[in-house]
Amino acid sequence: MTIGPTQASSSGIQVKDLSMVYGNDEKAVPVLQGADLKVQPGELICLLGPSGSGKSTLLHLIGGLLTPTRGEIRIGDIDITTFSDDEKTDFRRRNIGFVFQFFNLVSELTLRQNVALPLLMEGVKLRHTLERVDFWLERLHLTDRRHHALAELSGGQIQRVAIARALVANPQVILADEPTGNLDAAHARAIFELFRELCDEAGITTLIATHDTTASRIANRTLIVDNSKLCEVR
């Protein structure tokens, strides 16, 4: 099966002694403490844990959306903690696909325009952009809604739009924060299986933060994030 018009290259992830603390002195609140993680290229990792445990923070740190208090984050052989904000933005746009819990889509744009936006910002020719957009819309069963406004879509459809947008640029890494939170059990299972196929067939390294233990069954490994600590399920 062809994953997309072009294939992603693969990169592993290595995190060393990663910590994130908000505030300082007696008001300091540790969100993540001393996390160590090594993810092989093409591996799928499931991050489980209660709300507020630090799952989203870990994803946002790896994706360069937050700056850690301490520690090192390498994607491939690149330490992104040495980057400026502009360098992080550029690296993220070219290498990482985010699926956000609250979508982060543009309400004024149609479904198809939202998915096309990352490629248009990179200057990809319109014809190639539309080919890649339409591939993912078909794969995620959204073709018949491609010209609809977001307000005309269900919550589950909007979640799939967010996933298509993350995949359209063929990223090396996918970071998914509760990617099935608005889907029923059947559609959630299909999304998890899609992530599994992406890892196996295109070598895309994937981290999924979720409350849905279904993801554990398709993951290479499951990690627990709880009380700001990261540990692996044995």
Side-chain angles (χ1 to χ4, degrees):
M1 183 195 71
T2 301
I3 292 296
T6 63
Q7 297 293 298
S9 56
S10 57
S11 284
I13 299 168
Q14 187 165 3
V15 168
K16 293 182 179 179
D17 193 27
L18 192 65
S19 294
M20 183 71 184
V21 178
Y22 290 113
N24 51 53
D25 299 329
E26 68 277 1
K27 295 182 179 180
V29 178
V31 181
L32 196 67
Q33 299 184 68
D36 292 302
L37 174 63
K38 189 170 184 178
V39 184
Q40 298 297 329
E43 192 173 16
L44 191 154
I45 300 295
C46 175
L47 297 171
L48 294 178
S51 296
S53 63
K55 302 189 306 296
S56 295
T57 297
L58 178 58
L59 292 189
H60 291 180
L61 287 166
I62 292 172
L65 292 173
L66 294 174
T67 299
T69 305
R70 184 182 73 242
E72 180 180 294
I73 304 165
R74 288 187 175 273
I75 298 178
D77 59 355
I78 297 172
D79 182 359
I80 68 167
T81 58
T82 66
F83 284 176
S84 68
D85 288 345
D86 287 345
E87 288 171 331
K88 286 180 183 177
T89 298
D90 185 63
F91 181 85
R92 184 170 55 247
R93 190 172 63 241
R94 296 174 184 273
N95 296 282
I96 298 175
F98 260 105
V99 182
F100 292 99
Q101 184 175 1
F102 300 108
F103 313 129
N104 284 20
L105 300 170
V106 182
S107 60
E108 294 81 8
L109 301 181
T110 66
L111 184 161
R112 197 185 196 200
Q113 290 168 338
N114 265 285
V115 178
L117 194 58
L119 298 182
L120 296 175
M121 291 176 65
E122 282 296 301
V124 177
K125 291 182 179 179
L126 182 61
R127 179 173 65 85
H128 297 310
T129 292
L130 295 180
E131 285 176 358
R132 287 160 69 172
V133 169
D134 290 343
F135 173 90
W136 286 112
L137 294 186
E138 181 177 359
R139 184 71 188 278
L140 290 166
H141 308 292
L142 291 166
T143 299
D144 62 342
R145 295 287 188 270
R146 63 187 181 277
H147 298 305
H148 284 230
L150 297 184
E152 300 172 317
L153 306 177
S154 69
Q157 289 169 334
I158 293 174
Q159 186 70 281
R160 283 183 278 146
V161 175
I163 293 169
R165 183 191 56 185
L167 295 169
V168 74
N170 295 321
Q172 299 181 45
V173 172
I174 293 175
L175 303 174
D177 190 0
E178 296 290 355
T180 61
N182 293 288
L183 304 181
D184 60 31
H187 283 104
R189 186 171 59 252
I191 292 300
F192 288 136
E193 290 172 353
L194 172 61
F195 283 130
R196 178 73 268 172
E197 290 175 5
L198 291 166
C199 291
D200 292 341
E201 300 177 26
I204 301 178
T205 307
T206 303
L207 273 68
I208 302 175
T210 181
H211 290 90
D212 190 342
T213 56
T214 303
S216 293
R217 295 198 284 270
I218 55 91
N220 295 100
R221 288 183 288 147
T222 296
L223 306 178
I224 300 293
V225 186
D226 194 12
N227 197 25
S228 75
K229 298 285 188 179
L230 175 67
C231 62
E232 186 164 351
V233 175
R234 301 296 181 185

